[in-house]
Each structure stands twice: as C-alpha cells, then as structure tokens.
Amino acid sequence: MKIQKIEAIEILDSRGNPTVEVNLKLEDGTTSRAMVPSGASTGEREAVEIRDGDPKRYGGKGVLKAVGNVNSTIAKAIENKHFNSQKEIDYFLMELDGTDNKSNIGANAILGVSMAFARAKATSSSIPLYQYLGGGNAHIMPVPCMNVINGGKHADNTIDFQEFMIAPHNASSFTEAIRMGEEVFHALKVVLKSKGFSTGVGDEGGFAPDLKSNEQAVEMILEGIHKAGYKAGNDVSICIDPASSEMWENGSYKFFKSSQKLVSSDDMVKLWESWVKQYPIVLLEDGLAENDWEGWKNLTEVLGSKVELVGDDIFCTNKRILQEAINKEVANSILIKLNQIGTVTETLETIELAYKNAYNCFVSHRSGETIDTFISDLTVGINAGHLKTGSGCRGERVEKFNQLMRIENELGKSAQFAGLKAFKNAL
Ligand SMILES: C=C(OP(=O)(O)O)C(=O)O
Ligand SMILES: [Mg+2]
C-alpha cells in the first residue's frame, strides 16, 4: 500500500498555541488525521519540537517550519512510496532527519506523520487503532487518573506542585470509574466554593485555587471524595505529579510559588515519605528532578516498594535513558508521551523495554492538547492499566475519556477494568 498524499497545516492547541496537524491518504483511498500535542514542563532530553521563532507570529511559537518540513522534505520522500509496517516508515523518517533528537525535521513534524500513518493503516486493515498498536490481546480498560487540582507551570496560582490527581479504582468498568471521578470533581467544586476559593481551571482542566499550601490541595480533594460518598483509599486514591524539575535550582528544590523556601533532595524524599504515610497516595510522578539521579536512587530505595514511582522528565519516553534507569534501579514506572520521543515505533519499543523489566507504563497527554485521541487507543493497546489525561471539564481531555468509553463498549465482555492492581505495589 503506497502513501498517496501527505499534507500538514498549522492548527491550534488547547492553550491557543499553534501546533501541527497532518492529513494522510493511502493509495486505497483511506484518509487519516493526526494532531500533535505540546508540553509546558518539558524534559531537557525530549525530542525537539521545532518552532519558528518569528516574534511577529504567536510570539515566536508558530510551527510553519515544521509544517513546511512535512509538506516538502517528508512529502517528497514518502509520497508514492510503499511502507510495509510502522517500523519501516518510522525508521525511514528517523534516517531522513538524521539526528538523535529529531532537531533537523522536528519531532512535531515526524510524530504527526507517524501517528497519521498508524491510524490510516488501522482503518485500511479494518481493525481498531488499539489493536493495530497492541495486537489482539488489548482488553484492559485503564483507571483514569484525573487531574483535579492544577498548580506549578500549569496554573497561575500559589500551588508549587503541578498535578493532584484522583484515581477512581474501585469500579467495575472504565465508564463507572469516570462517573465516580466526575462526581468527586463536582463535589470538590462545592468544597472549594464553600471555603471561598476560586473554581476557575488550569491548563489541564483541574481547579486552580490560591490555596495556603500544597498539603491543602490534598486535604480539599479528600473532602471532595468524602462529600461525593466515596472512601478515600478504598474507592478513590490519589496520584501526584509535582513536576519537580521545575523546582530544581542549584542542587535544591525551591517552592517557587508559595514560601520561596529551598529544600534539599534528602528532605524532599522525607516529605514524600510523610505524604505517603499520611495520605492514600498510590502513584508519585517526578517526585524529584530530572538531573537529580542520586536523589532518585534514594527515593526508589525509600518508596519504591510502597508506591508507583513514575519517571517523566527524567526518562523522556527514551529507551536509552530507561535502560540507564533499569541498570541503576531508579523508579519502577515510566510516563509515556509520544512527542517526547517523536515516533510511534520508538514509543512502543520503550514500552516493550519497560514491561520486560517489570516497570509499569503510565500513558499521558501533554498540557497543550488537541482533540486527537491517539493516547486512548495506545493505553488500551498496551494494556497499560492507567492513564492521565486531565480532568473531565475541558473538551480536549474529555474526548480522550469519551474514546475510552467507545472502546469499552466495542470490546464488550472482553473488556476488563484494571482497578487498583494497575498501580505498582498498591495491593
Ligand atoms: C503532562 C505534563 O505536563 P507537560 O505536558 O506540560 O509536560 C507532565 O508534566 O506530566
Ligand atoms: Mg509529569
């Protein structure tokens, strides 16, 4: 099957910033579309997202260069060419770029083509995308980790830590888990309002109140869980992503939005140890910064057998970095973001390496999103058991949940909700 036509345009993401959309047509007439997301708290070793840098357009954030690279370099190389598999086209694109970090053509250009090809091939073969990505055994429906309070770089408020998520795991299905999560989200709104806090939302759709402390965010959520009629820990647990690389300053962690206090890596580990003792936390992502590998080793020794420790900025969905972490016994789970590495194939290779070494995979959106639901299919495809894709009040996040409900309906009796066992060491 040849690729007949490929075309990119500049569209908008959920923050109103430009991003790349790719439209692809196969020889048999199958068409597909992919939209590329974009992060704000990015890891230093992520594949390169090319932005124009022209201050007259979107403050330099335009993506016309990346769009142009799809429409010229990539189109010239792949139109009227036959690719047998995802691996074949992705390796071809990587070679065409010729760099380690996709800085030549741009990860935002390459990923759009890679995702659009996957979607077209699935449609053309009359199989769902989750099956194309993961094979016939794809059937585990994930626990939706819903980001209900936003802080850090994702909100203009006083909270240092970036994400406070609820994990409604005591459900019989994904659809039920979403209902529980939404009920808690709505109860939390009432709790915040009753205490005089703002109920405006941040980049990922969670509330963004000016709370007095990071701890208060957890306390508010616990109240919300209770108010919705659920038992914290039994029915709904908590996941945290402080995105602590953003707090890293000269070897310490700075509480940059609240107290301005500086804390050592050892003290951060102590803080997480006390939070895990005090609160029903099942997952901690980026508890320490990407350049604090010594601290990460310490964190893994202290908490690695108690909760899921997910590496985001530190691993960048990169199998070479993940291998380093496996060798050093750092973390026990990896965050999966397609645009951190830039192709579908490399993402799947990283996932394979994680599973081979008993690491969990936690699939993730970016803070700048579109309505593309590729990650919903990826999550089921690889039986990841859990994903994070914001809260249930912004269209671009809700669409991922809706796609998962469609998949659950389509799988029928073979669908199995992951529940608490999705989280490493939770049982
Ligand atoms: C989703 C995240 O944020 P961003 O997309 O801004 O990196 C994250 O840090 O996990
Ligand atoms: Mg993160």
Side-chain angles (χ1 to χ4, degrees):
M1 184 80 61
K2 282 184 191 161
I3 292 172
Q4 193 176 87
K5 175 96 189 130
I6 186 125
E7 191 177 31
I9 60 165
E10 185 182 67
I11 60 160
L12 292 176
D13 73 13
S14 55
R15 272 194 280 257
N17 290 326
T19 191
V20 178
E21 172 176 293
V22 173
N23 293 285
L24 184 147
K25 190 174 183 188
L26 293 177
E27 191 184 28
D28 67 356
T30 307
T31 57
S32 71
R33 168 171 295 162
M35 297 167 238
V36 179
S38 174
S41 59
T42 50
E44 283 171 16
R45 295 205 265 177
E46 290 194 18
V48 175
E49 174 186 79
I50 292 185
R51 300 232 170 237
D52 300 340
D54 172 3
K56 290 199 204 84
R57 291 191 76 252
Y58 293 108
K61 288 184 180 157
V63 291
L64 293 180
K65 275 186 197 158
V67 162
N69 288 345
V70 175
N71 293 336
S72 57
T73 314
I74 295 182
K76 244 183 248 153
I78 70 172
E79 276 177 2
N80 296 312
K81 208 168 153 49
H82 176 92
F83 293 96
N84 274 317
S85 65
Q86 192 68 39
K87 211 170 188 157
E88 202 176 302
I89 188 166
D90 287 343
Y91 274 83
F92 181 87
L93 292 169
M94 281 148 69
E95 263 172 46
L96 190 66
D97 174 82
T99 67
D100 252 7
N101 58 4
K102 303 183 178 62
S103 53
N104 200 0
I105 294 175
N108 43 351
I110 291 173
L111 180 64
V113 176
S114 179
M115 284 163 65
F117 180 81
R119 196 166 261 144
K121 282 292 272 187
T123 306
S124 167
S125 320
S126 301
I127 57 169
L129 181 58
Y130 56 85
Q131 230 176 66
Y132 173 81
L133 295 170
N137 190 38
H139 70 291
I140 302 291
M141 295 307 300
V143 177
C145 299
M146 302 165 83
N147 184 1
V148 293
I149 293 190
N150 292 187
K153 270 198 154 179
H154 292 171
D156 194 11
N157 61 358
T158 55
I159 308 173
D160 306 286
F161 299 158
Q162 182 178 282
E163 301 172 22
F164 295 81
M165 294 169 268
I166 49 166
H169 47 72
N170 192 18
S172 56
S173 66
F174 175 81
T175 306
E176 283 292 285
I178 280 291
R179 178 181 58 73
M180 290 167 66
E182 289 294 354
E183 286 169 5
V184 173
F185 181 65
H186 294 137
L188 175 60
K189 185 172 188 172
V190 176
V191 171
L192 289 170
K193 214 169 174 173
S194 72
K195 294 180 194 303
F197 292 115
S198 154
T199 54
V201 299
D203 285 356
E204 296 188 355
F207 301 116
D210 280 326
L211 299 179
K212 290 187 196 74
S213 67
N214 296 288
E215 284 77 5
Q216 199 182 19
V218 183
E219 305 287 352
M220 294 293 107
I221 291 172
L222 293 177
E223 256 192 81
I225 294 171
H226 179 73
K227 193 174 178 54
Y230 297 109
K231 217 166 160 222
N234 270 26
D235 302 316
V236 183
S237 293
I238 291 176
C239 309
I240 309 276
D241 175 12
S244 61
S245 299
E246 302 301 327
M247 301 171 68
W248 184 246
E249 212 178 274
N250 304 321
S252 298
Y253 292 87
K254 186 172 185 179
F255 283 67
F256 64 115
K257 294 174 76 183
S258 60
S259 60
Q260 305 300 311
K261 156 180 93 174
L262 284 171
V263 165
S264 71
S265 179
D266 283 355
D267 283 343
M268 277 296 273
V269 174
K270 285 190 188 118
L271 181 137
W272 295 130
E273 205 182 353
S274 77
W275 274 42
V276 167
K277 263 197 200 124
Q278 208 179 333
Y279 303 125
I281 292 173
V282 289
L283 179 150
L284 173 63
E285 176 189 328
D286 279 3
L288 294 176
E290 61 188 313
N291 290 318
D292 186 11
W293 277 75
E294 275 308 305
W296 262 98
K297 185 135 181 49
N298 179 23
L299 178 70
T300 310
E301 274 162 22
V302 174
L303 285 177
S305 61
K306 295 196 175 79
V307 288
E308 181 161 334
L309 295 176
V310 185
D312 171 13
D313 289 355
I314 187 171
F315 300 155
C316 293
T317 316
N318 184 315
K319 70 175 176 195
R320 278 192 295 275
I321 308 176
L322 177 63
Q323 185 61 62
E324 224 176 297
I326 291 164
N327 299 344
K328 292 183 176 156
E329 296 183 15
V330 160
N332 56 30
S333 178
I334 177 170
L335 200 75
I336 300 297
K337 288 169 166 167
L338 287 141
N339 80 323
Q340 279 185 328
I341 191 70
T343 63
V344 172
T345 297
E346 288 165 286
T347 304
L348 293 173
E349 286 173 355
T350 300
I351 290 162
E352 199 185 327
L353 179 66
Y355 283 167
K356 256 196 203 142
N357 291 279
Y359 274 55
N360 270 10
C361 290
F362 189 35
V363 179
S364 173
H365 61 160
R366 297 310 304 247
S367 49
E369 265 295 336
T370 70
I371 58 162
D372 194 299
T373 57
F374 199 94
I375 60 164
S376 304
D377 284 76
L378 178 65
T379 304
V380 179
I382 64 162
N383 291 322
H386 49 1
L387 90 162
K388 63 170 195 178
T389 183
S391 86
C393 84
R394 287 183 60 133
E396 74 282 359
R397 322 282 152 180
V398 167
E399 200 44 33
K400 272 74 163 174
F401 296 139
N402 290 344
Q403 173 68 359
L404 281 159
M405 289 193 264
R406 289 180 203 114
I407 293 173
E408 185 162 72
N409 185 50
E410 187 175 301
L411 283 170
K413 283 207 172 71
S414 59
Q416 199 186 323
F417 181 61
L420 191 56
K421 68 176 181 300
F423 299 90
K424 196 109 192 156
N425 305 317
L427 288 179

